[in-house]
Amino acid sequence: MNPRIHRPGPARRALTALIGLLAALMAWSALPATTASAQEGRLKGWGANDNYQLGGTLTGAKYKPVTIPGATGSDIDALAAGYYHSLSLLSNGTVESWGRNAEGQLGIGNTAAQEQASTVTGLRGVVAVAAGNYHSLALLSDGTVRAWGRNSEGQLGDNSTAQRNNPVTVSGLTNVEAIAAGALHSVAVLADGTVKTWGYNANGQLGDGSTTNRTTPVTVSGITNARSAAGGSAHTLARRADGTVWAWGRGSEGQLGDNASTQRLTPVKVDDITTAREISAGVYHSVARLADGTVKTWGYNVQGQQGDGTTTNRPAPITLDGATNIRAVSAGGYHTLVLDRDGKVSTVGYNNNGQLGDGSATNRTALTTPVNSLSSVSLIAAGGEFSLAG
């Protein structure tokens, strides 16, 4: 449910870390548990709000975009959406969270749901965030990773299965370049191009050749030169520097893209993709943005999230009709978002809670026209049954 999250190069990371540290030191003494901004209003959300994942006290579904209350405005560098909670990474290197918190996934030291954005405890120098079903990850500028939330399957990677309401350090990880969160597992791409995974592994989504859960990171077999990753419900994707995409884990809905419907305990190459620039994974479907601005989708399609006008599963990639000049993609639970270079967001797939933002609860099997009230968007994130744009 997260787009790939990539970390800047060393020089840029050092500058970002210095700026973030200075800003954090200046603001630290006055930073409240819940922050508001004079520029509040940029961040929008739509869809399910049963756990405050869109913020606010009115928890009914929102069929058109609404402003996320209390969320910082123009200085958001990244968004991440879990199944019931949301994260935003601010340019000063801190993280805000809101929504469901029964498993501690907001990282604020307790398990109380939050109607407004709250600051994650103790995080500074963050350069990327990712959200799973009930857990969260943050990549720091020093190349280490923090995790918090549910941990019953080891998805926090701290060599325990204890829930953590505040961030803890993932064991043994350094030189991390990118992170991703699946439903109950986690992924890190290292600077040397190898991929590490941890957490739930019943379907082989850790890619280590087994179906054994791991409470600390293990190395994915056979992946080199990786640049980014994405995690679905029970499958994982990696994008290599050569533009190819590799997949492993559950494959029964075709989400591995190898023209089969077979579980894979180690990576297989996704068919016919050689110029991928971004990848994202939903519950059972997968998405890739190509260098030419087109989009490929594959896997589960019962809600129409492949955008080909059908509800037929696709075990090999197909082109998302109508998606051109695309700059970002994000796969939600059973829906898909695309952002074009004009700052417009289009949507397709499951729409039971209005997560497509077209004012209805009708599923769409073809890409919608851009969501009407949104313009100049630069960030998107698709959650379980909701969507974010900033």
Side-chain angles (χ1 to χ4, degrees):
M1 282 152 282
N2 284 288
R4 63 97 178 99
I5 304 293
H6 189 66
R7 191 160 68 105
R12 184 178 172 188
R13 289 201 307 271
L15 179 60
T16 299
L18 178 59
I19 293 171
L21 178 60
L22 291 173
L25 289 173
M26 292 173 64
W28 172 252
S29 63
L31 193 64
T34 299
T35 60
S37 170
Q39 302 182 51
E40 181 179 332
R42 174 190 170 192
L43 184 57
K44 307 291 185 180
W46 59 98
N49 196 34
D50 51 327
N51 285 269
Y52 304 115
Q53 53 266 60
L54 304 182
T57 58
L58 299 176
T59 57
K62 311 299 183 185
Y63 298 96
K64 291 184 178 180
V66 297
T67 298
I68 305 294
T72 301
S74 62
D75 58 347
I76 299 172
D77 283 353
L79 295 171
Y83 217 91
Y84 302 106
H85 74 291
S86 305
L87 305 174
S88 64
L89 168 62
L90 307 188
S91 59
N92 66 1
T94 63
V95 178
E96 293 182 334
S97 60
W98 61 95
R100 179 183 170 105
N101 195 30
E103 296 78 21
Q105 58 263 59
L106 300 189
I108 58 174
N110 60 49
T111 56
Q114 295 297 302
E115 300 170 7
Q116 293 194 5
S118 300
T119 301
V120 176
T121 304
L123 287 183
R124 297 292 182 270
V126 178
V127 296
V129 290
N133 274 15
Y134 309 104
H135 75 292
S136 304
L137 304 175
L139 172 60
L140 273 57
S141 58
D142 64 2
T144 62
V145 179
R146 304 293 186 267
W148 60 97
R150 176 172 167 171
N151 196 27
S152 54
E153 292 75 31
Q155 58 264 56
L156 303 189
D158 67 340
N159 200 28
S160 82
T161 55
Q163 177 174 305
R164 306 295 185 180
N165 299 334
N166 292 309
V168 296
T169 300
V170 177
S171 300
L173 283 185
T174 58
N175 297 315
V176 176
E177 290 285 339
I179 56 174
L184 301 171
H185 70 290
S186 304
V187 191
V189 179
L190 305 191
D192 64 4
T194 59
V195 179
K196 299 285 189 177
T197 55
W198 59 99
Y200 194 52
N201 196 30
N203 296 98
Q205 55 263 56
L206 301 189
D208 67 343
S210 80
T211 56
T212 302
N213 292 357
R214 307 293 183 179
T215 60
T216 57
V218 295
T219 301
V220 176
S221 301
I223 287 288
T224 59
N225 296 317
R227 291 295 178 266
S228 64
S233 175
H235 74 293
T236 308
L237 307 175
R239 179 183 63 88
R240 290 181 45 170
D242 61 5
T244 60
V245 178
W246 296 71
W248 57 96
R250 176 171 171 153
S252 54
E253 292 76 25
Q255 59 266 58
L256 304 188
D258 62 342
N259 203 27
S261 298
T262 304
Q263 176 174 288
R264 308 291 187 183
L265 302 185
T266 56
V268 293
K269 185 176 179 294
V270 175
D271 285 359
D272 300 325
I273 293 182
T274 58
T275 63
R277 293 295 180 267
E278 182 182 10
I279 51 177
S280 187
V283 171
Y284 301 129
H285 76 291
S286 305
V287 183
R289 175 177 61 86
L290 306 188
D292 64 359
T294 61
V295 176
K296 297 286 189 179
T297 62
W298 61 98
Y300 191 65
N301 195 31
V302 171
Q303 278 78 33
Q305 56 266 57
Q306 308 285 340
D308 64 344
T310 79
T311 55
T312 303
N313 290 355
R314 303 295 180 181
I318 61 173
T319 298
L320 178 58
D321 292 340
T324 59
N325 204 27
I326 301 302
R327 62 187 282 191
V329 296
S330 186
Y334 301 97
H335 70 293
T336 304
L337 307 181
V338 298
L339 171 64
D340 68 25
R341 295 192 180 278
D342 294 325
K344 297 289 189 180
V345 179
S346 297
T347 57
V348 67
Y350 198 35
N351 198 28
N352 64 320
N353 277 300
Q355 55 264 51
L356 301 189
D358 65 352
S360 80
T362 303
N363 293 356
R364 307 293 181 183
T365 61
L367 200 64
T368 65
T369 55
V371 179
N372 286 335
S373 61
L374 295 178
S375 62
S376 302
V377 173
S378 59
L379 301 169
I380 56 172
E385 293 179 356
F386 69 101
S387 304
L388 301 175

